[in-house]
Amino acid sequence: MFIRSERLFLRPGWPEDWAELFGLIDDEAVVRHLVRVPWPYHPDDARAYAARAQSGLYPHFFVTLPGAEGAQLIGCVGLMPDDHDPDGAPRLGYWIARAHWGRGFATEAARAVLALAATLGHRRVAARHFLDNPASGRVLAKLGFRSTGEIRPGASPAREGVAPTLGYALDLDPPGNCDGDRRSMVPVPRAA
């Protein structure tokens, strides 16, 4: 799957992307806000992630910024199963390389994945962030997520321990037709 947003191109990772990925995520300031990423991050971790197979219900993407020299990798975004959600809603995850923080790329990439989530049949998406990462909370608020008020411990290898995370949820609208019309489509009879 590929997604084009206003400024970004979201695509699957390929094994040859590992070095570019490693150069971006081998940054403790990025990894300390992520739950599932090992620290220290090693080249083999990047190779494994870049070669990771896609899931039909839980796709993940490399976030790239197209330009005159080609598309530059700037982060990742995707859906994953959420072990904490009793309804089985997927969890949204994302990260953007530090050089690209503060430019709205996380919001734009996540918005594109949420549109896809509705198309895949998901009706609700969960998310969470560490309490000391308010920037991620602002991204979720811009996307329409509401705080569930639930605070859980979250482990991060870069933090060398557990830190509190705040939960969020977003109810998705069912996908509409290609014109953005949310009404059900009625077949138009053809003239005989």
Side-chain angles (χ1 to χ4, degrees), residues 37-60:
V37 178
W39 187 258
Y41 201 78
H42 299 288
D44 285 344
D45 298 319
R47 284 184 189 94
Y49 188 82
R52 195 172 116 199
Q54 283 288 351
S55 163
L57 284 178
Y58 305 105
H60 59 278

Side-chain angles (χ1 to χ4, degrees), residues 145-165:
F145 278 83
R146 67 183 180 349
S147 170
T148 62
E150 181 179 22
I151 297 178
R152 292 183 170 268
S156 169
R159 292 171 182 263
E160 298 180 351
V162 176
T165 63

Side-chain angles (χ1 to χ4, degrees), residues 11-99:
R11 64 167 177 82
W14 295 302
E16 56 270 19
D17 292 322
W18 78 267
E20 190 175 7
L21 172 65
F22 180 71
L24 295 176
I25 198 168
D26 187 30
D27 181 345
E28 190 175 3
V30 172
V31 175
R32 75 180 318 268
H33 297 299
L34 305 175
V35 174
R36 296 185 179 187
V37 178
W39 187 258
Y41 201 78
H42 299 288
D44 285 344
D45 298 319
R47 284 184 189 94
Y49 188 82
R52 195 172 116 199
Q54 283 288 351
S55 163
L57 284 178
Y58 305 105
H60 59 278
F61 300 92
F62 278 29
V63 179
T64 66
L65 183 59
E69 302 297 318
Q72 172 189 11
L73 178 63
I74 64 168
C76 293
V77 64
L79 300 173
M80 61 196 84
D82 187 356
D83 302 334
H84 299 293
D85 192 283
D87 300 324
R91 185 162 50 93
L92 175 69
Y94 51 87
W95 66 267
I96 298 294
R98 189 182 344 189

